[in-house]
C-alpha cells in the first residue's frame, strides 16, 4: 500500500483540468480572400489546374520542413507528430511524414467545387491549416470557409478579441490540483464587463472509470487519452473560485489580431486531435504553451517544455521571457479570500450571526426576509458570502434549489443602503515564487560526528521558503535527496552514506476558525534515519501521516501555531519484526519575520512499538531558520536537533547543528 500511495500521489500532483466541449471563433474574411470566387475556380480547365498544382507542389516539398508547418501539426525533430489521433491527419502516413500530410492537405483543400464542401470537408475540419497554407501559396481561396456552417457558428460565438492564460491556484485537498492549473481563455469582441460569457480552452486526461492504481500508472507512462475541450468561463469560476476556493490569475496575451483568430481556429482543429497524456511532462500546461507556439512562430517555448517536469506556475514565467507577450494581469479572488476580508471587521457575536443566517437558510428554517430586518448591511453581505462558500458544492449539484433557499437573504439585502464594493488585498503574483529545483551544501556537527552534506530537490516549496508567490501555508516536495560524507569522533576515516530521500513530502497547514473548521495534515514517504536512534548509518523506510489543527495569529497567516498528532511506520531488516510503529503529539510554530526570512520550530513526544512487548519513548526539539536572497536565488539556513531525549534519558550525542547554502534554479 505504501508503494502504491507513493505512485498515486506524486503523479497526480501535476494534474490539470477537464473541459466540456464547445466550438470556435473564425477569422474575418480578407478582401484578398474574396478576390477569387467559386465561379472563377470552377472556370479553370484541367490543364490550368494541373499546371498550378505542379508549381505549388514544388513549394510544398520545401515548405513541409518549415517550422511553421511542423509546429502547426506538432512534429518533433524526427518528423513524428505528438498528436496521436488519426483523425487529426488527412494522409494515412500524416503522423510520421510531414510532406505527405502537407501534400494530402493541399490536394483536398484547393481547387474544390462549392458542391464538394460541407462540415465534413477538410477545409471545415482544419481551418487554421487552410488559412496558413492559402496565405503561403497566395491561392486566395480562404473565402471557401463560408461553406462551413458549424465552424462559422463556433467562431462567431467565440468572437475572439484576445487570448488569456489562466492560472488556478494550488489546492492540496485535491491531489490532481496540488500544483495549480493553467488553461487558455478566448476573450470575446465587444464584451467588456461580460467576462463570464467567454470560453475556456484546455487539455485534460480522460480518466473516468479508472481505479487509483492504474490511474497513477497510466498517467505516468502516457496511457491516458488527453482531449482538447472547452466550457463557458463562468463554469470554471464556479468550480475553481467558489467550489474549490482558489484564486484565479488571468494573463492577457499581447498576440496580434491575426494570431488570436488563427489560435481560435486551431482550437477547433484540436477538438479532434487527442494525444497521450503524461502527468509529469505533456500535461495541460505543456499544451497551453505549445498551442501558442504552433500558431505564432516568434514564440518558441520548446526549451522550457523539454524538461522532466512541467509545472503550471513555471509556464507562466515562460510568458515573461518575451517582452510584451503579457499585456495585462487580472486577479480574481477566491470566495474564501472574499469571506475572510468581509469577516475581518466583525466581532465574534456578529460572526456567529452570519453563520446562523446561512445555515438556517440552507436548512430552510428561515424562509422570510422579515426576520433579517434587524441585521446590518455588513452582516447580510457577509452572510451571502458565507452561504456561497459553505454550500459551494450544492450549487454544482442543484443550483436552482440552492439559489431558491438564498432568496430571503437577497431580498433583505436589497432593502438596505448601497455600500462600496468589497476590496480584497491582492497577494504577490504566482510567478514571483522562487524556482522549483534546488541544490545545496551544508556542514553538520554533533557530539560524536561531523559531516559535509550535498542535497538536491526536484521541487517545489517548503514552509520556511520565501512567501512571494505562495500566500497559503503549504509545502510540496518531491524527490528531496541528501547525501552525507561524515567522520565519527575519534576516527580518521570519512564515510559516505545516504542521509535522506523523501520521495514525497506534503504539508497543508490550513488555519481553523469559528467560521471554518479545517484540519491540517502532513504526509511523508521515503527513506531516512532511524527516528529513534538517529544513527548516521542506519537508513530505514519511513511513511508518516500527521493531522491536527492550525491557528493563525495574524491575518496574513505569517505566524502560525499548530498542534498535530503524528503517526509513523518505519521499516528495516534490523528491526525484530521488520517494522516499527510510532505516535506522537506535536507542537509547531512557524513565523515569517519578513517575506524572505522564516523560522520553523517543532516539539514532539513520541512513543514507539516494535510489535513486541517493549515500548519506548522519545522527545525532540527541532528548528530551522532560512533567509532567501531573491536577487541571487540563494538561501542561507541554520537548523538543528537541539535536544534528543529517550526512555533512558537525554542523549546529547544525537543532538546536532547544521548551517548551509541552497541555490534555487
Amino acid at each position: 500500500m505504501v508503494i502504491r500511495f507513493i505512485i498515486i500521489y506524486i503523479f497526480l500532483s501535476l494534474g490539470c483540468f477537464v473541459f466540456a466541449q464547445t466550438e470556435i471563433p473564425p477569422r474575418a474574411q480578407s478582401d484578398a480572400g474574396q478576390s477569387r470566387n467559386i465561379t472563377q475556380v470552377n472556370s479553370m480547365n484541367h490543364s490550368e489546374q494541373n499546371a498550378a498544382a505542379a508549381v505549388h507542389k514544388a513549394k510544398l516539398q520545401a515548405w513541409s520542413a518549415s517550422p511553421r508547418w511542423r509546429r502547426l501539426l506538432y512534429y518533433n525533430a524526427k518528423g513524428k507528430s505528438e498528436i496521436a489521433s488519426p483523425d487529426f491527419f488527412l494522409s494515412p502516413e500524416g503522423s510520421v511524414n510531414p510532406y505527405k500530410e502537407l501534400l494530402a492537405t493541399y490536394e483536398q483543400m484547393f481547387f474544390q467545387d462549392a458542391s464538394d464542401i460541407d462540415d465534413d470537408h477538410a477545409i471545415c475540419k482544419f481551418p487554421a491549416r487552410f488559412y496558413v497554407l492559402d496565405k503561403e501559396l497566395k491561392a486566395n481561396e480562404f473565402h471557401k470557409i463560408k461553406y462551413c456552417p458549424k465552424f462559422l457558428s463556433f467562431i462567431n460565438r467565440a468572437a475572439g478579441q484576445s487570448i488569456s492564460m489562466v492560472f488556478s491556484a494550488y489546492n492540496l485537498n485535491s491531489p490532481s490540483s496540488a500544483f495549480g492549473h493553467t488553461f487558455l481563455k478566448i476573450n470575446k469582441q465587444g464584451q467588456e464587463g461580460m467576462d463570464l460569457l467567454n470560453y475556456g480552452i484546455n487539455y485534460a486526461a480522460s480518466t473516468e472509470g479508472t481505479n487509483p492504481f492504474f490511474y497513477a500508472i497510466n498517467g505516468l507512462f502516457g496511457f491516458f487519452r488527453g482531449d482538447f475541450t472547452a466550457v463557458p468561463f463562468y463554469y470554471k469560476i464556479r468550480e475553481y473560485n467558489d467550489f474549490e476556493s482558489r484564486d484565479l490569475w488571468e494573463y492577457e496575451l499581447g498576440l496580434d489580431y491575426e494570431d488570436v483568430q488563427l489560435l481560435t481556429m486551431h482550437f477547433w482543429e484540436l477538438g479532434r486531435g487527442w494525444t497521450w497524456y503524461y502527468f509529469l511532462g505533456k500535461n495541460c500546461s505543456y499544451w497551453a504553451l505549445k498551442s501558442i507556439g504552433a500558431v505564432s512562430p516568434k514564440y518558441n517555448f520548446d526549451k522550457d517544455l523539454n524538461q522532466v517536469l512541467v509545472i503550471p506556475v513555471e509556464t507562466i514565467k515562460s510568458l515573461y521571457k518575451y517582452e510584451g507577450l503579457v499585456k495585462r494581469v487580472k486577479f480574481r479572488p477566491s470566495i474564501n479570500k472574499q469571506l475572510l476580508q468581509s469577516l475581518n471587521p466583525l466581532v465574534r457575536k456578529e460572526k456567529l450571526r452570519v453563520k446562523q443566517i446561512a445555515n438556517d437558510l440552507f436548512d430552510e428554517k428561515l424562509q422570510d426576509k422579515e426576520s433579517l430586518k434587524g441585521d446590518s448591511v455588513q452582516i447580510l453581505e457577509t452572510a451571502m458570502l458565507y452561504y456561497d462558500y459553505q454550500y459551494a458544492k450544492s450549487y454544482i449539484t442543484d443550483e436552482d434549489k440552492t439559489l431558491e433557499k438564498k432568496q430571503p437573504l437577497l431580498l433583505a439585502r436589497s432593502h438596505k443602503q448601497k455600500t462600496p464594493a468589497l476590496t480584497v488585498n491582492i497577494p504577490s503574483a504566482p510567478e514571483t515564487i522562487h524556482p522549483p529545483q534546488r541544490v545545496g551544501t551544508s556542514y553538520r556537527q554533533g557530539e560524536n560526528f561531523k559531516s559535509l552534506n550535498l542535497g538536491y530537490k526536484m521541487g517545489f516549496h517548503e514552509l520556511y521558503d520565501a512567501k512571494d508567490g505562495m500566500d497559503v501555508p503549504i509545502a510540496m516536495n518531491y524527490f528531496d535527496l541528501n547525501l552525507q560524507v561524515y567522520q565519527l569522533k575519534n576516527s580518521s576515516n570519512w564515510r559516505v552514506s545516504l542521509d535522506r530521500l523523501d520521495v514525497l513530502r506534503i504539508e497543508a497547514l490550513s488555519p481553523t476558525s469559528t467560521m471554518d473548521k479545517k484540519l491540517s495534515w502532513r504526509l511523508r514517504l521515503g527513506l531516512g534515519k532511524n527516528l529513534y536512534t538517529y544513527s548516521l548509518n542506519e537508513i530505514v523506510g519511513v511513511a508518516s501521516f500527521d493531522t491536527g489543527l492550525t491557528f493563525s495569529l495574524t491575518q496574513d497567516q505569517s505566524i502560525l501555531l499548530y498542534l498535530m498528532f503524528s503517526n509513523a511506520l518505519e521499516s528495516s531488516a534490523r528491526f525484530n519484526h521488520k517494522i516499527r510503529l510510532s505516535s506522537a503529539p506535536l507542537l509547531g510554530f512557524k513565523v515569517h519575520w519578513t517575506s524572505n526570512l522564516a523560522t520553523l520550530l517543532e516539539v514532539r513526544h513520541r512513543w514507539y512499538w516494535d510489535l513486541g512487548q517493549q515500548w519506548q519513548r522519545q522527545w525532540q526539539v527541532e528548528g530551522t531558520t532560512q533567509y532567501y536572497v531573491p536577487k541571487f536565488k540563494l538561501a542561507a539556513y541554520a537548523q538543528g536537533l537541539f535536544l534528543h531525549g529517550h526512555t533512558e534519558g537525554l542523549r546529547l550525542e544525537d543532538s546536532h547543528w547544521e548551517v548551509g547554502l541552497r541555490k534555487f534554479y
Side-chain angles (χ1 to χ4, degrees):
M1 283 298 295
V2 172
I3 298 301
R4 176 182 296 183
F5 193 75
I6 293 173
I7 297 173
I8 291 173
Y9 206 103
I10 192 169
F11 299 115
L12 298 188
S13 300
L14 291 178
C16 296
F17 341 88
V18 178
F19 278 71
Q21 189 170 358
T22 192
E23 302 158 52
I24 273 198
R27 170 187 177 273
Q29 296 180 7
S30 66
D31 293 336
Q34 295 293 338
S35 65
R36 180 187 183 118
N37 60 37
I38 195 66
T39 303
Q40 291 174 308
V41 175
N42 290 340
S43 67
M44 293 179 65
N45 59 41
H46 288 294
S47 61
E48 289 174 325
Q49 291 183 12
N50 290 338
V55 173
H56 288 158
K57 285 181 180 179
K59 293 182 179 179
L60 297 180
Q61 183 70 55
W63 204 62
S64 65
S66 69
R68 188 68 188 270
W69 177 250
R70 293 196 170 218
R71 285 194 194 180
L72 197 59
L73 279 84
Y74 302 99
Y75 290 111
N76 60 24
K78 296 181 179 179
K80 182 177 181 180
S81 176
E82 296 180 68
I83 303 291
S85 170
D87 294 335
F88 193 68
F89 305 95
L90 295 172
S91 166
E93 301 176 64
S95 65
V96 294
N97 193 316
Y99 172 66
K100 288 189 176 181
E101 178 61 22
L102 182 54
L103 185 60
T105 301
Y106 172 75
E107 291 173 346
Q108 294 186 41
M109 287 186 175
F110 293 90
F111 309 111
Q112 300 292 312
D113 292 336
S115 59
D116 295 332
I117 303 174
D118 57 21
D119 285 320
D120 292 324
H121 193 274
I123 286 174
C124 303
K125 290 180 179 179
F126 305 108
R129 240 175 277 182
F130 182 42
Y131 173 83
V132 169
L133 191 54
D134 180 72
K135 185 176 181 180
E136 174 66 21
L137 298 176
K138 298 181 174 59
N140 296 326
E141 295 196 16
F142 190 72
H143 61 88
K144 294 180 182 178
I145 203 73
K146 66 185 178 183
Y147 298 105
C148 305
K150 288 185 178 179
F151 166 71
L152 291 179
S153 176
F154 166 73
I155 203 84
N156 289 326
R157 289 201 309 274
Q161 175 176 283
S162 64
I163 302 291
S164 294
M165 181 176 281
V166 183
F167 175 80
S168 179
Y170 314 97
N171 177 24
L172 282 186
N173 292 321
S174 172
S176 62
S177 304
F179 289 87
H181 297 321
T182 53
F183 59 93
L184 296 175
K185 178 166 73 81
I186 304 171
N187 302 310
K188 287 179 178 291
Q189 292 176 337
Q191 294 289 341
E192 191 69 29
M194 301 184 70
D195 193 35
L196 299 184
L197 301 178
N198 292 323
Y199 282 127
I201 307 292
N202 197 45
Y203 171 76
S206 299
T207 62
E208 187 175 353
T210 307
N211 69 55
F213 178 75
F214 287 105
Y215 187 96
I217 296 298
N218 291 348
L220 172 61
F221 294 105
F223 296 139
F224 276 135
R225 168 174 162 157
D227 294 304
F228 299 88
T229 48
V231 290
F233 186 51
Y234 73 83
Y235 182 83
K236 304 314 292 179
I237 292 176
R238 176 63 56 81
E239 178 184 357
Y240 292 148
N241 253 173
D242 300 343
F243 178 46
E244 296 181 356
S245 207
R246 300 159 67 182
D247 296 335
L248 291 178
W249 292 82
E250 298 179 36
Y251 299 82
E252 185 179 344
L253 306 180
L255 301 175
D256 58 39
Y257 184 77
E258 183 179 29
D259 285 343
V260 171
Q261 301 309 307
L262 186 56
L263 184 55
T264 308
M265 287 189 276
H266 188 52
F267 289 149
W268 174 267
E269 297 181 345
L270 288 172
R272 63 183 68 248
W274 61 268
T275 76
W276 297 115
Y277 183 94
Y278 294 82
F279 284 129
L280 296 181
K282 295 182 180 180
N283 51 40
C284 50
S285 298
Y286 177 92
W287 285 103
L289 284 187
K290 201 77 173 177
S291 60
I292 294 171
V295 303
S296 188
K298 60 185 174 183
Y299 302 119
N300 187 351
F301 303 104
D302 288 350
K303 184 178 179 180
D304 294 336
L305 296 176
N306 292 333
Q307 306 289 330
V308 175
L309 296 172
V310 178
I311 300 174
V313 72
E314 293 302 302
T315 61
I316 300 298
K317 296 179 183 180
S318 298
L319 300 176
Y320 282 92
K321 294 181 179 180
Y322 290 92
E323 185 177 357
L325 181 54
V326 177
K327 188 175 179 180
R328 63 175 60 92
V329 180
K330 179 181 178 181
F331 173 66
R332 189 181 293 272
S334 68
I335 186 71
N336 181 51
K337 204 173 244 82
Q338 297 176 57
L339 176 61
L340 291 175
Q341 191 75 24
S342 187
L343 283 168
N344 188 46
L346 302 183
V347 299
R348 177 177 171 80
K349 182 179 179 180
E350 292 173 320
K351 292 178 181 178
L352 292 176
R353 175 57 180 162
V354 165
K355 190 174 184 179
Q356 180 188 7
I357 291 173
N359 292 339
D360 286 350
L361 284 170
F362 190 79
D363 295 336
E364 298 184 279
K365 296 177 181 179
L366 194 163
Q367 301 180 16
D368 187 354
K369 70 179 188 333
E370 298 301 318
S371 60
L372 299 173
K373 275 188 174 182
D375 293 300
S376 67
V377 174
Q378 289 75 19
I379 288 178
L380 295 180
E381 289 185 342
T382 307
M384 288 192 293
L385 286 170
Y386 183 78
Y387 182 90
D388 291 343
Y389 173 72
Q390 189 70 14
Y391 303 108
K393 186 175 182 179
S394 299
Y395 276 108
I396 295 178
T397 57
D398 192 349
E399 182 175 8
D400 292 340
K401 182 64 175 177
T402 307
L403 282 172
E404 182 183 343
K405 293 177 179 180
K406 189 182 176 183
Q407 286 305 307
L409 178 57
L410 296 174
L411 289 172
R413 173 63 187 91
S414 68
H415 288 81
K416 301 283 186 178
Q417 74 272 22
K418 292 184 178 180
T419 58
L422 181 68
T423 301
V424 176
N425 295 327
I426 300 177
S428 56
E431 70 273 12
T432 61
I433 195 171
H434 57 80
Q437 298 187 77
R438 186 186 79 190
V439 293
T441 182
S442 66
Y443 174 79
R444 184 184 301 163
Q445 183 169 320
E447 285 291 315
N448 63 349
F449 77 96
K450 57 184 177 182
S451 69
L452 297 175
N453 305 277
L454 296 175
Y456 165 76
K457 186 173 70 173
M458 194 172 289
F460 172 63
H461 182 74
E462 301 276 10
L463 288 172
Y464 48 77
D465 279 340
K467 284 189 67 177
D468 287 343
M470 179 68 78
D471 71 324
V472 290
I474 60 177
M476 297 174 284
N477 297 281
Y478 48 93
F479 200 79
D480 187 356
L481 173 66
N482 201 63
L483 300 175
Q484 61 182 355
V485 181
Y486 67 93
Q487 183 185 56
L488 297 176
K489 188 176 182 180
N490 300 323
S491 173
S492 59
N493 296 325
W494 288 86
R495 303 177 184 179
V496 179
S497 71
L498 175 69
D499 177 55
R500 184 189 69 254
L501 172 59
D502 288 340
V503 177
L504 178 69
R505 186 160 37 84
I506 303 287
E507 302 177 67
L509 301 185
S510 303
T512 190
S513 66
T514 304
M515 306 298 293
D516 194 6
K517 306 295 184 183
K518 292 182 179 179
L519 283 178
S520 296
W521 58 273
R522 307 199 305 190
L523 170 73
R524 180 192 174 196
L525 300 167
L527 302 172
K529 289 187 174 65
N530 183 324
L531 295 180
Y532 183 72
T533 64
Y534 215 79
S535 176
L536 288 172
N537 59 358
E538 185 181 356
I539 300 300
V540 302
V542 179
S544 66
F545 184 77
D546 308 346
T547 186
L549 299 175
T550 297
F551 304 92
S552 179
L553 306 184
T554 57
Q555 187 178 351
D556 64 356
Q557 300 182 355
S558 60
I559 303 178
L560 299 176
L561 183 68
Y562 51 97
L563 178 63
M564 291 188 175
F565 196 73
S566 176
N567 300 281
L569 182 151
E570 297 174 86
S571 176
S572 173
R574 299 185 182 187
F575 297 160
N576 291 335
H577 299 278
K578 309 303 181 188
I579 65 172
R580 182 170 60 192
L581 305 176
S582 65
S583 295
L586 179 153
L587 178 65
F589 177 76
K590 184 205 75 101
V591 55
H592 264 86
W593 311 102
T594 68
S595 177
N596 297 319
L597 176 63
T599 296
L600 189 69
L601 183 66
E602 293 186 353
V603 181
R604 65 171 58 86
H605 190 279
R606 192 185 299 272
W607 283 269
Y608 293 89
W609 181 46
D610 65 357
L611 304 187
Q613 298 300 314
Q614 185 178 8
W615 283 82
Q616 296 173 306
R617 64 182 180 86
Q618 173 200 63
W619 55 273
Q620 295 178 337
V621 180
E622 297 181 81
T624 300
T625 294
Q626 178 177 279
Y627 179 70
Y628 178 71
V629 185
K631 181 178 180 180
F632 302 106
K633 297 179 175 59
L634 192 69
Y637 72 94
Q639 62 186 34
L641 179 66
F642 303 112
L643 296 172
H644 205 216
H646 290 72
T647 302
E648 62 272 20
L650 182 64
R651 285 176 38 168
L652 293 177
E653 64 270 21
D654 290 331
S655 300
H656 68 262
W657 56 267
E658 179 180 343
V659 293
L661 292 174
R662 291 165 173 156
K663 172 65 178 175
F664 295 78
Y665 67 98

